[in-house]
Amino acid sequence: MKEVHSYIQENKDRFVSELIDLLKIPSVSADSTYKENVFQAAEAVRRTLEDAGADNTELCQTEGFPVVYGEKIIDENKPTVLVYGHYDVQPADPLELWDSPPFDPVIKDGKIYARGAADDKGQMYMHVKAFEIMMKTDQLPCNVKFIIEGEEEVGSANLEAFISKEKEKLKADIILISDTSMLSLENPSITTGLKGLSYLEVEVTGPNRDLHSGLYGGAVANPINILCQMIASLTDENNHITIPGFYDKVLEATKEERELMAKTPFDLDEYKKKLDIKEVHGEAGYTTIERTGIRPTLDVNGIWGGYIGEGAKTVLPSKAYAKISMRLVPNQDDEEISQLFKKHFESIAPKSVKVEVKPHHGATPYVMPIDIPEYKAASDAIEKTFGKTPVPVRAGGSIPIVALFEEVLGLKSILLGFGLDTDAIHSPNEHFGVENFLKGIETIAHFYDYYADKK
Ligand code: BES
Ligand code: MN
Ligand code: MN
């Protein structure tokens, strides 16, 4: 494995510039304006896999955006790693908050700034480059298959059908994913859990038209006022969620697990400073690491209605809306939680308004065992590159397909992420450290080696 490090050193400028080319394609899956660009990104990824040495590369059509496939089978009797990633990105808005255009990547202070830099083009591309190294230095020790999808940021709705249909083609022993973060380069970590998700939209209707807020205000329900009151009542003074039955299936962490979590190298002051907040906020009785890792949460993602243009307009609006997400933990079921929310939200609405609750997508929570050889291989690989044993950390984010990989293909996933929580994914000025990118490539190459050895 000696050549890996030197190969990276000799080719790092090219690796970065290839990634920059990929980041220039605005593959926003949520916005149909970018439809052509999403297809264009799929083809670009396919080509990079082919150039790196993959066989049978293709764009597999789905009802939505294609899944990019590629493989290298060196020996049917050797184990197979199935790499998953996504080439679609979140919308870039609000555009005015970016210091440089989101699809015109720049490198500043050792970081690549662009939408998708860390989530997930930069991390997905580490796999393409690690594979290139293994191929070009002739040391790939096992089989590899790639599926890179284009609908992760919109809930991976068509991927389940794809993996169900292509079970034979996707036959593998383990899934490997880089789409999560680490604590820091100094304190590397491996993600051992992902949250589930229930996402809903609510619509509150008051009078049948917008009214003069003087003529009718105080006498007719204002749907925005009502919506705010309803949302406020979803959590109590301890920041517990008040939806009846919400916590019934939550698997409480054991004393030992909580003791282990308390040892996570995490600096609360630094955390607050980076976010420019005086105090954190969350469920009473739990630490910040526990709140994000093992406790279910509820957040309003957007709320609108009434007049938001320049100046003032005195109006009592007819409608108010909000998008609400709940992050779930084992063993909560997203469909059941969506139903509990709907029932509760409808029940707390006063007679003066009509309420409609529309469920969007969901995701099942996932927890990865740390006593399997694949985890050990990932841990050894990180230790080799970073010089420190990684700690297991459960993430607050979700990757919908991971639980389905287990359900449909019977495969566990290793979440070998190299981003940082401060990379501003989904936010303006998303970035990815060049060092994270290069160390990620090196670690992935080592992973193959340790993995093939342990199998
Ligand atoms: N890569 C993220 C998820 C993530 C990031 C997990 C960092 C852990 C640490 C992924 O692309 C994502 O954004 N997922 C969405 C879910 C989806 C249904 C839109 C999320 O978590 O909001
Ligand atoms: Mn992602
Ligand atoms: Mn994302």
Side-chain angles (χ1 to χ4, degrees), residues 4-23:
V4 171
H5 191 78
S6 56
Y7 192 103
I8 293 173
Q9 287 312 310
E10 280 154 28
N11 292 279
K12 60 184 182 193
D13 292 344
R14 173 173 61 85
F15 288 180
V16 169
S17 98
E18 288 169 4
L19 171 58
I20 285 178
D21 286 342
L22 215 51
L23 291 168

Side-chain angles (χ1 to χ4, degrees), residues 18 22 41-60 67-72 82-85 87 124-133 135-136 144-149 448:
E18 288 169 4
L22 215 51
E43 172 54 22
V45 171
R46 188 204 63 75
R47 208 172 329 110
T48 65
L49 277 173
E50 187 177 71
D51 292 346
D55 297 328
N56 303 322
T57 61
E58 59 173 320
L59 298 189
C60 308
V67 176
V68 184
Y69 181 82
E71 63 178 23
K72 189 74 204 177
L82 177 58
V83 174
Y84 164 83
Y87 63 82
M124 174 272 290
Y125 204 60
M126 299 182 312
H127 286 272
V128 181
K129 293 298 100 177
F131 173 68
E132 174 192 314
I133 297 170
M135 291 300 294
K136 300 282 144 83
V144 192
K145 294 177 178 175
F146 292 90
I147 46 169
I148 314 296
E149 71 151 318
Y448 282 115

